[in-house]
Tab-separated table of all heavy atoms in Angstrom:
chain	number	residue	atom	x	y	z
R	18	SER	N	208.795	7.477	115.982
R	18	SER	CA	208.083	6.241	116.287
R	18	SER	C	206.986	6.064	115.251
R	18	SER	O	206.726	6.950	114.448
R	18	SER	CB	207.486	6.288	117.703
R	18	SER	OG	206.509	7.314	117.789
R	19	TRP	N	206.343	4.915	115.286
R	19	TRP	CA	205.228	4.689	114.371
R	19	TRP	C	204.117	5.691	114.682
R	19	TRP	O	203.774	5.926	115.843
R	19	TRP	CB	204.720	3.258	114.519
R	19	TRP	CG	205.741	2.239	114.132
R	19	TRP	CD1	206.776	1.783	114.894
R	19	TRP	CD2	205.846	1.574	112.881
R	19	TRP	NE1	207.521	0.865	114.199
R	19	TRP	CE2	206.967	0.709	112.953
R	19	TRP	CE3	205.107	1.599	111.704
R	19	TRP	CZ2	207.347	-0.104	111.903
R	19	TRP	CZ3	205.493	0.779	110.658
R	19	TRP	CH2	206.594	-0.047	110.759
R	20	PHE	N	203.551	6.270	113.638
R	20	PHE	CA	202.607	7.376	113.818
R	20	PHE	C	201.292	7.026	113.112
R	20	PHE	O	201.178	7.144	111.893
R	20	PHE	CB	203.189	8.667	113.240
R	20	PHE	CG	202.412	9.906	113.584
R	20	PHE	CD1	202.672	10.604	114.752
R	20	PHE	CD2	201.420	10.373	112.743
R	20	PHE	CE1	201.955	11.748	115.074
R	20	PHE	CE2	200.691	11.512	113.050
R	20	PHE	CZ	200.960	12.202	114.218
R	21	PRO	N	200.289	6.574	113.869
R	21	PRO	CA	199.004	6.240	113.238
R	21	PRO	C	198.125	7.476	113.065
R	21	PRO	O	198.082	8.360	113.919
R	21	PRO	CB	198.381	5.268	114.242
R	21	PRO	CG	198.952	5.674	115.567
R	21	PRO	CD	200.323	6.223	115.302
R	22	VAL	N	197.417	7.512	111.943
R	22	VAL	CA	196.443	8.571	111.700
R	22	VAL	C	195.105	7.903	111.423
R	22	VAL	O	194.941	7.213	110.411
R	22	VAL	CB	196.846	9.458	110.506
R	22	VAL	CG1	195.832	10.598	110.340
R	22	VAL	CG2	198.245	10.016	110.689
R	23	VAL	N	194.165	8.085	112.323
R	23	VAL	CA	192.841	7.475	112.182
R	23	VAL	C	191.918	8.377	111.373
R	23	VAL	O	191.241	7.932	110.447
R	23	VAL	CB	192.230	7.183	113.567
R	23	VAL	CG1	190.808	6.653	113.430
R	23	VAL	CG2	193.097	6.187	114.328
R	24	ASP	N	191.899	9.654	111.708
R	24	ASP	CA	190.989	10.596	111.040
R	24	ASP	C	191.659	11.144	109.785
R	24	ASP	O	192.131	12.278	109.745
R	24	ASP	CB	190.624	11.729	112.007
R	24	ASP	CG	189.360	12.460	111.587
R	24	ASP	OD1	188.825	12.134	110.506
R	24	ASP	OD2	188.907	13.343	112.330
R	25	THR	N	191.708	10.321	108.740
R	25	THR	CA	192.429	10.685	107.520
R	25	THR	C	191.593	11.520	106.554
R	25	THR	O	192.099	11.954	105.519
R	25	THR	CB	192.904	9.423	106.793
R	25	THR	OG1	191.785	8.552	106.584
R	25	THR	CG2	193.958	8.689	107.614
R	26	HIS	N	190.321	11.726	106.851
R	26	HIS	CA	189.419	12.504	105.997
R	26	HIS	C	189.414	11.995	104.552
R	26	HIS	O	189.774	12.715	103.624
R	26	HIS	CB	189.807	13.984	106.026
R	26	HIS	CG	189.589	14.639	107.345
R	26	HIS	ND1	188.437	15.306	107.690
R	26	HIS	CD2	190.397	14.717	108.439
R	26	HIS	CE1	188.527	15.777	108.925
R	26	HIS	NE2	189.713	15.428	109.400
R	27	PRO	N	189.011	10.746	104.345
R	27	PRO	CA	188.977	10.232	102.975
R	27	PRO	C	187.941	10.960	102.138
R	27	PRO	O	187.015	11.591	102.668
R	27	PRO	CB	188.595	8.762	103.164
R	27	PRO	CG	187.857	8.738	104.461
R	27	PRO	CD	188.517	9.772	105.321
R	28	ASP	N	188.089	10.866	100.837
R	28	ASP	CA	187.142	11.487	99.922
R	28	ASP	C	185.751	10.892	100.149
R	28	ASP	O	185.594	9.679	100.333
R	28	ASP	CB	187.584	11.246	98.481
R	28	ASP	CG	186.722	12.012	97.494
R	28	ASP	OD1	185.673	11.484	97.099
R	28	ASP	OD2	187.109	13.143	97.126
R	29	GLU	N	184.741	11.751	100.128
R	29	GLU	CA	183.375	11.300	100.397
R	29	GLU	C	182.957	10.179	99.446
R	29	GLU	O	182.227	9.267	99.815
R	29	GLU	CB	182.399	12.476	100.270
R	29	GLU	CG	182.478	13.482	101.408
R	29	GLU	CD	182.005	12.903	102.727
R	29	GLU	OE1	181.111	12.030	102.697
R	29	GLU	OE2	182.526	13.293	103.782
R	30	ALA	N	183.432	10.251	98.195
R	30	ALA	CA	183.042	9.245	97.210
R	30	ALA	C	183.601	7.872	97.543
R	30	ALA	O	183.083	6.849	97.074
R	30	ALA	CB	183.503	9.672	95.817
R	31	ALA	N	184.655	7.823	98.360
R	31	ALA	CA	185.297	6.541	98.662
R	31	ALA	C	184.761	5.897	99.936
R	31	ALA	O	185.064	4.735	100.217
R	31	ALA	CB	186.813	6.746	98.798
R	32	ILE	N	183.975	6.621	100.703
R	32	ILE	CA	183.560	6.143	102.022
R	32	ILE	C	182.497	5.053	101.941
R	32	ILE	O	182.524	4.082	102.696
R	32	ILE	CB	183.051	7.325	102.872
R	32	ILE	CG1	184.208	8.228	103.272
R	32	ILE	CG2	182.328	6.817	104.106
R	32	ILE	CD1	183.779	9.452	104.032
R	33	ALA	N	181.559	5.201	101.016
R	33	ALA	CA	180.386	4.329	100.991
R	33	ALA	C	180.768	2.851	100.901
R	33	ALA	O	181.600	2.455	100.089
R	33	ALA	CB	179.484	4.707	99.824
R	34	ASP	N	180.167	2.051	101.746
R	34	ASP	CA	180.358	0.598	101.764
R	34	ASP	C	178.962	-0.001	101.866
R	34	ASP	O	178.393	-0.129	102.945
R	34	ASP	CB	181.235	0.216	102.962
R	34	ASP	CG	181.445	-1.287	103.062
R	34	ASP	OD1	181.120	-1.998	102.087
R	34	ASP	OD2	181.930	-1.747	104.102
R	35	LEU	N	178.395	-0.376	100.712
R	35	LEU	CA	176.988	-0.766	100.683
R	35	LEU	C	176.750	-2.226	101.027
R	35	LEU	O	175.616	-2.626	101.287
R	35	LEU	CB	176.402	-0.457	99.297
R	35	LEU	CG	176.478	1.013	98.869
R	35	LEU	CD1	175.779	1.216	97.536
R	35	LEU	CD2	175.858	1.920	99.926
R	36	ARG	N	177.784	-3.051	101.028
R	36	ARG	CA	177.679	-4.471	101.387
R	36	ARG	C	176.638	-5.215	100.538
R	36	ARG	O	175.875	-6.050	101.047
R	36	ARG	CB	177.334	-4.623	102.867
R	36	ARG	CG	178.397	-4.155	103.808
R	36	ARG	CD	179.607	-5.110	103.791
R	36	ARG	NE	180.730	-4.435	104.403
R	36	ARG	CZ	180.961	-4.447	105.717
R	36	ARG	NH1	180.167	-5.123	106.510
R	36	ARG	NH2	181.992	-3.791	106.204
R	37	LEU	N	176.609	-4.936	99.263
R	37	LEU	CA	175.600	-5.548	98.409
R	37	LEU	C	175.839	-7.043	98.229
R	37	LEU	O	174.890	-7.800	97.999
R	37	LEU	CB	175.581	-4.854	97.048
R	37	LEU	CG	175.218	-3.359	97.090
R	37	LEU	CD1	175.214	-2.778	95.696
R	37	LEU	CD2	173.868	-3.148	97.761
R	38	LEU	N	177.087	-7.481	98.307
R	38	LEU	CA	177.379	-8.903	98.165
R	38	LEU	C	177.293	-9.643	99.487
R	38	LEU	O	177.337	-10.884	99.512
R	38	LEU	CB	178.763	-9.098	97.540
R	38	LEU	CG	178.953	-8.515	96.135
R	38	LEU	CD1	180.326	-8.861	95.589
R	38	LEU	CD2	177.864	-9.007	95.197
R	39	ASN	N	177.170	-8.895	100.579
R	39	ASN	CA	177.062	-9.507	101.912
R	39	ASN	C	175.993	-8.773	102.726
R	39	ASN	O	176.261	-8.254	103.803
R	39	ASN	CB	178.399	-9.443	102.651
R	39	ASN	CG	179.503	-10.163	101.913
R	39	ASN	OD1	179.573	-11.382	101.920
R	39	ASN	ND2	180.375	-9.400	101.267
R	40	PRO	N	174.763	-8.732	102.224
R	40	PRO	CA	173.725	-7.983	102.950
R	40	PRO	C	173.333	-8.698	104.244
R	40	PRO	O	173.343	-9.931	104.324
R	40	PRO	CB	172.566	-7.960	101.954
R	40	PRO	CG	172.763	-9.188	101.119
R	40	PRO	CD	174.247	-9.366	101.006
R	41	TRP	N	173.013	-7.932	105.252
R	41	TRP	CA	172.545	-8.506	106.510
R	41	TRP	C	171.013	-8.623	106.447
R	41	TRP	O	170.371	-8.029	105.548
R	41	TRP	CB	173.025	-7.658	107.685
R	41	TRP	CG	172.619	-6.213	107.657
R	41	TRP	CD1	171.591	-5.617	108.330
R	41	TRP	CD2	173.248	-5.155	106.903
R	41	TRP	NE1	171.534	-4.277	108.064
R	41	TRP	CE2	172.534	-3.966	107.187
R	41	TRP	CE3	174.319	-5.109	106.008
R	41	TRP	CZ2	172.868	-2.740	106.605
R	41	TRP	CZ3	174.654	-3.888	105.438
R	41	TRP	CH2	173.942	-2.726	105.734
R	42	PRO	N	170.400	-9.375	107.328
R	42	PRO	CA	168.965	-9.695	107.204
R	42	PRO	C	168.063	-8.463	107.069
R	42	PRO	O	167.140	-8.465	106.247
R	42	PRO	CB	168.665	-10.467	108.501
R	42	PRO	CG	169.974	-11.098	108.856
R	42	PRO	CD	171.027	-10.113	108.439
R	43	GLU	N	168.295	-7.420	107.866
R	43	GLU	CA	167.426	-6.242	107.813
R	43	GLU	C	167.465	-5.588	106.435
R	43	GLU	O	166.432	-5.141	105.914
R	43	GLU	CB	167.825	-5.228	108.881
R	43	GLU	CG	167.572	-5.677	110.317
R	43	GLU	CD	168.699	-6.516	110.884
R	43	GLU	OE1	169.628	-6.872	110.126
R	43	GLU	OE2	168.665	-6.798	112.091
R	44	LEU	N	168.659	-5.526	105.838
R	44	LEU	CA	168.785	-4.908	104.516
R	44	LEU	C	168.106	-5.773	103.461
R	44	LEU	O	167.392	-5.259	102.587
R	44	LEU	CB	170.261	-4.707	104.171
R	44	LEU	CG	170.551	-4.077	102.805
R	44	LEU	CD1	169.936	-2.688	102.708
R	44	LEU	CD2	172.059	-4.003	102.540
R	45	SER	N	168.307	-7.086	103.533
R	45	SER	CA	167.683	-7.981	102.557
R	45	SER	C	166.161	-7.911	102.648
R	45	SER	O	165.462	-7.869	101.620
R	45	SER	CB	168.155	-9.417	102.792
R	45	SER	OG	169.547	-9.529	102.584
R	46	THR	N	165.638	-7.890	103.862
R	46	THR	CA	164.190	-7.816	104.051
R	46	THR	C	163.637	-6.509	103.501
R	46	THR	O	162.601	-6.489	102.813
R	46	THR	CB	163.846	-7.954	105.545
R	46	THR	OG1	164.337	-9.201	106.035
R	46	THR	CG2	162.349	-7.865	105.767
R	47	PHE	N	164.311	-5.408	103.793
R	47	PHE	CA	163.880	-4.104	103.309
R	47	PHE	C	163.818	-4.090	101.784
R	47	PHE	O	162.833	-3.640	101.184
R	47	PHE	CB	164.845	-3.024	103.807
R	47	PHE	CG	164.606	-1.659	103.232
R	47	PHE	CD1	163.627	-0.836	103.761
R	47	PHE	CD2	165.356	-1.202	102.159
R	47	PHE	CE1	163.399	0.433	103.229
R	47	PHE	CE2	165.152	0.060	101.627
R	47	PHE	CZ	164.164	0.879	102.161
R	48	ALA	N	164.863	-4.614	101.141
R	48	ALA	CA	164.926	-4.597	99.676
R	48	ALA	C	163.851	-5.488	99.072
R	48	ALA	O	163.180	-5.106	98.103
R	48	ALA	CB	166.308	-5.050	99.210
R	49	SER	N	163.682	-6.679	99.621
R	49	SER	CA	162.686	-7.604	99.059
R	49	SER	C	161.272	-7.054	99.208
R	49	SER	O	160.429	-7.228	98.321
R	49	SER	CB	162.805	-8.971	99.727
R	49	SER	OG	162.531	-8.894	101.122
R	50	GLN	N	160.971	-6.380	100.312
R	50	GLN	CA	159.643	-5.797	100.512
R	50	GLN	C	159.378	-4.666	99.526
R	50	GLN	O	158.262	-4.495	99.043
R	50	GLN	CB	159.493	-5.305	101.949
R	50	GLN	CG	159.408	-6.422	102.978
R	50	GLN	CD	159.370	-5.898	104.400
R	50	GLN	OE1	159.646	-4.720	104.663
R	50	GLN	NE2	159.014	-6.790	105.344
R	51	MET	N	160.429	-3.906	99.208
R	51	MET	CA	160.240	-2.773	98.306
R	51	MET	C	159.986	-3.220	96.876
R	51	MET	O	159.258	-2.560	96.124
R	51	MET	CB	161.459	-1.845	98.333
R	51	MET	CG	161.522	-0.915	99.513
R	51	MET	SD	162.366	0.620	99.086
R	51	MET	CE	161.213	1.373	97.951
R	52	VAL	N	160.601	-4.321	96.458
R	52	VAL	CA	160.480	-4.747	95.059
R	52	VAL	C	159.509	-5.917	94.908
R	52	VAL	O	159.475	-6.566	93.855
R	52	VAL	CB	161.853	-5.137	94.473
R	52	VAL	CG1	162.767	-3.947	94.436
R	52	VAL	CG2	162.488	-6.272	95.279
R	53	ASP	N	158.759	-6.209	95.962
R	53	ASP	CA	157.779	-7.287	95.870
R	53	ASP	C	156.807	-6.979	94.732
R	53	ASP	O	156.167	-5.928	94.714
R	53	ASP	CB	157.028	-7.417	97.202
R	53	ASP	CG	156.081	-8.612	97.217
R	53	ASP	OD1	156.377	-9.598	96.509
R	53	ASP	OD2	155.062	-8.535	97.919
R	54	ASN	N	156.767	-7.884	93.770
R	54	ASN	CA	155.914	-7.695	92.592
R	54	ASN	C	156.297	-6.410	91.861
R	54	ASN	O	155.466	-5.539	91.614
R	54	ASN	CB	154.437	-7.655	93.005
R	54	ASN	CG	153.526	-8.077	91.872
R	54	ASN	OD1	153.984	-8.508	90.820
R	54	ASN	ND2	152.222	-7.949	92.092
R	55	ILE	N	157.607	-6.279	91.529
R	55	ILE	CA	158.153	-5.061	90.948
R	55	ILE	C	157.460	-4.652	89.655
R	55	ILE	O	157.338	-3.461	89.342
R	55	ILE	CB	159.676	-5.227	90.710
R	55	ILE	CG1	160.299	-3.886	90.303
R	55	ILE	CG2	159.969	-6.311	89.693
R	55	ILE	CD1	161.811	-3.926	90.215
R	56	GLN	N	156.986	-5.627	88.884
R	56	GLN	CA	156.364	-5.309	87.604
R	56	GLN	C	155.077	-4.514	87.772
R	56	GLN	O	154.626	-3.835	86.832
R	56	GLN	CB	156.077	-6.605	86.826
R	56	GLN	CG	157.317	-7.426	86.515
R	56	GLN	CD	158.326	-6.641	85.686
R	56	GLN	OE1	157.949	-5.810	84.858
R	56	GLN	NE2	159.605	-6.902	85.917
R	57	HIS	N	154.463	-4.591	88.947
R	57	HIS	CA	153.189	-3.913	89.157
R	57	HIS	C	153.334	-2.591	89.917
R	57	HIS	O	152.336	-1.970	90.275
R	57	HIS	CB	152.218	-4.835	89.903
R	57	HIS	CG	151.805	-6.025	89.104
R	57	HIS	ND1	152.538	-7.192	89.062
R	57	HIS	CD2	150.726	-6.231	88.274
R	57	HIS	CE1	151.948	-8.072	88.273
R	57	HIS	NE2	150.848	-7.513	87.772
R	58	LEU	N	154.585	-2.165	90.171
R	58	LEU	CA	154.782	-0.850	90.795
R	58	LEU	C	154.379	0.240	89.822
R	58	LEU	O	154.608	0.126	88.608
R	58	LEU	CB	156.252	-0.670	91.191
R	58	LEU	CG	156.799	-1.529	92.332
R	58	LEU	CD1	158.293	-1.274	92.498
R	58	LEU	CD2	156.061	-1.254	93.630
R	59	ASP	N	153.768	1.295	90.338
R	59	ASP	CA	153.444	2.404	89.426
R	59	ASP	C	154.729	3.113	89.025
R	59	ASP	O	155.800	2.886	89.600
R	59	ASP	CB	152.434	3.366	90.065
R	59	ASP	CG	152.950	4.037	91.340
R	59	ASP	OD1	154.159	4.362	91.403
R	59	ASP	OD2	152.154	4.237	92.268
R	60	ASP	N	154.637	3.984	88.009
R	60	ASP	CA	155.836	4.623	87.463
R	60	ASP	C	156.579	5.445	88.503
R	60	ASP	O	157.820	5.495	88.498
R	60	ASP	CB	155.447	5.523	86.277
R	60	ASP	CG	155.143	4.714	85.016
R	60	ASP	OD1	155.453	3.508	85.019
R	60	ASP	OD2	154.611	5.304	84.054
R	61	HIS	N	155.827	6.091	89.391
R	61	HIS	CA	156.486	6.925	90.408
R	61	HIS	C	157.331	6.059	91.335
R	61	HIS	O	158.514	6.354	91.569
R	61	HIS	CB	155.451	7.694	91.222
R	61	HIS	CG	156.051	8.536	92.301
R	61	HIS	ND1	156.651	9.750	92.064
R	61	HIS	CD2	156.163	8.310	93.651
R	61	HIS	CE1	157.112	10.259	93.202
R	61	HIS	NE2	156.823	9.403	94.185
């Protein structure tokens, strides 16, 4: 019969899904707050 495998253990490098082209509000807000006035951030 058809045999589904859910826990396929994909390679760790392939798992990440950052959604950079479709960010949700919390992620967009977090990023914008961090880079607010990016030119004036200290080197660290």
Side-chain angles (χ1 to χ4, degrees):
S18 64
W19 296 81
F20 190 88
V22 183
V23 175
D24 200 356
T25 54
H26 293 267
D28 187 274
E29 287 293 329
I32 289 176
D34 179 13
L35 301 184
R36 294 289 164 87
L37 298 181
L38 299 184
N39 300 284
W41 57 100
E43 292 85 353
L44 179 61
S45 297
T46 301
F47 173 82
S49 63
Q50 290 175 347
M51 281 210 68
V52 296
D53 185 29
N54 205 6
I55 189 173
Q56 300 301 327
H57 293 86
L58 291 176
D59 62 37
D60 284 348
H61 178 78

